[in-house]
Amino acid sequence: MKFQVLSIIHHAPHPLTGELPSATDRLGQVIEVGVAAERLGFESYAVGERHAGPFLSSSPTVVLGALAALTSRIRLLTGVTVVAILDPVRVAEDYATLSQIARGRVELVIGKGAEAGHFELFGLDEERQWDLQKEKYELLRRLWTEEGVDWEGEFRPALKNATTVPRPYEGRPPRVWHGSATSLNSPELAARHGDPLFTANAIQPLAAYARLIDHYRERFAAYGHDPARAHVAAGSGGLLIADTPEQAVARYKDLYEAKVRQSFKPHLEGRAGYNTPFRTVEDAIADGPQLIGSAEQIVEKILRYHRAYRHDLQSVTVDAFGQSTAEQIETLARFQEEIAPVVRREAPSTLWED
């Protein structure tokens, strides 16, 4: 298995102390942790895109550009690129530019996004989100693989003999993953095009995500693609490591449960993918996708989920609970020392080895 660090650049008061860093400090923290992730041996670092809610991730290309300048090996991903609300021409230009700067280390994870407010912000109909995503992604594919594109669709003006510049690095379009959280639409679109799938695996029970992954693998083969190339990645909803299971509960109970209360969205109650059913830290440790506990507990959970998902890439998030920069880097170092070697041995993957 390969490992990634993800930040959606959450920017809200600390759930226990109420402290709120400045936007400058928070963005600096994300970049510092990204540089540390490369130093510690993580294969990729991802930055989300949000346009509503308490986040500073409205411009992931800028943040990833800073990281591209400060790193040389680690892959730089998005998490996600909200292609449904964006102009595919602009996406093609921005990420090809970023890929040139990073010398091909950039990959996209596309999705409709996990905030309900951004469609209204961009003057788009949320009811058409899947139509928007499908049309815009398929135009993006053409812009990266063809020159002189003639195109006509529903959601943007027609194109005549269009060639976006710069072209993708060395002529290879960035790999595109499809973020999947609640609907079969993203797994279906990924399968149709032979693309990899990135399951959110952040809030819901395992079975909810396994259903989407199983659909993806079935349809991937049905479309005639080699099943061996049906790569899957999974999120984790937060990483907190303790010396023992008892210490994990004692140390993180108040923090975890305060965070759940802080992030609860009453207007979206009952809508899948927005509020976690795992309200206590004990529930999260036992049955949730969150990686909270001793190193041994976390290894067991990743491998348990791997038996269901057969995923190649595990993404972890260390800034979900307001930890300091030093605490985040310490957690990542401990993950690489105590957890990653065991999981790599027990669940090997050939992702990115081609």
Side-chain angles (χ1 to χ4, degrees), residues 173-197:
R175 187 195 309 252
V176 176
W177 300 71
H178 294 249
S180 174
T182 59
S183 167
L184 294 175
N185 286 279
S186 287
E188 182 71 23
L189 189 62
R192 176 182 302 166
H193 291 290
D195 294 331
L197 187 75

Side-chain angles (χ1 to χ4, degrees), residues 64 75-77 95 98-99 102 104-108 174-175:
L64 291 172
R75 287 170 177 80
L76 303 173
L77 274 69
Y95 284 99
L98 181 58
S99 184
R105 292 185 287 132
V106 173
E107 300 187 8
L108 275 68
R175 187 195 309 252

Side-chain angles (χ1 to χ4, degrees), residues 2 20 26 47 78 109 142 146 163 206 234 264 273 280 293 339:
K2 306 298 192 293
L20 180 67
R26 183 71 182 93
V47 173
T78 59
V109 183
R142 289 194 60 190
E146 303 174 29
T163 301
L206 180 153
F264 180 73
T280 70
I339 297 167

Side-chain angles (χ1 to χ4, degrees), residues 122-250:
F122 283 83
L124 298 169
D125 182 0
E126 188 177 359
E127 295 297 319
R128 302 295 307 279
Q129 59 186 306
W130 299 115
D131 298 325
L132 285 157
Q133 180 159 308
K134 178 178 181 296
E135 178 180 295
K136 292 186 176 188
Y137 172 57
E138 291 179 347
L139 174 55
L140 175 63
R141 286 176 61 91
R142 289 194 60 190
L143 291 170
W144 271 342
T145 57
E146 303 174 29
E147 298 183 11
V149 173
D150 294 332
W151 176 91
E152 186 171 346
E154 182 178 357
F155 298 111
R156 63 146 291 137
L159 297 174
K160 182 67 175 177
N161 194 32
T163 301
T164 57
V165 290
R167 302 305 294 158
Y169 179 73
E170 293 188 343
R172 298 193 304 271
R175 187 195 309 252
V176 176
W177 300 71
H178 294 249
S180 174
T182 59
S183 167
L184 294 175
N185 286 279
S186 287
E188 182 71 23
L189 189 62
R192 176 182 302 166
H193 291 290
D195 294 331
L197 187 75
F198 207 119
T199 179
N201 197 50
I203 291 176
Q204 300 184 87
L206 180 153
Y209 299 111
R211 166 179 167 267
L212 304 178
I213 295 169
D214 290 346
H215 177 85
Y216 163 71
R217 292 188 187 279
E218 177 184 333
R219 298 298 293 156
F220 194 95
Y223 280 115
H225 304 298
D226 180 0
R229 300 191 66 82
H231 293 299
V232 172
S236 63
L239 171 67
L240 296 168
I241 308 172
D243 291 338
T244 66
E246 295 77 17
Q247 187 186 88
V249 172

Side-chain angles (χ1 to χ4, degrees), residues 35-97:
V35 172
E38 176 175 85
R39 183 175 69 249
L40 293 169
F42 284 86
E43 281 87 359
S44 64
Y45 190 82
V47 173
E49 179 180 334
R50 300 288 181 98
H51 297 275
F55 304 96
L56 297 175
S57 49
S58 59
S59 187
T61 51
V62 175
V63 179
L64 291 172
L67 281 163
L70 295 170
T71 59
S72 60
R73 300 183 307 279
I74 197 167
R75 287 170 177 80
L76 303 173
L77 274 69
T78 59
V80 299
T81 298
V82 191
V83 71
I85 65 172
L86 304 175
D87 184 341
V89 173
R90 183 81 256 190
V91 175
E93 293 171 340
D94 283 349
Y95 284 99
T97 301

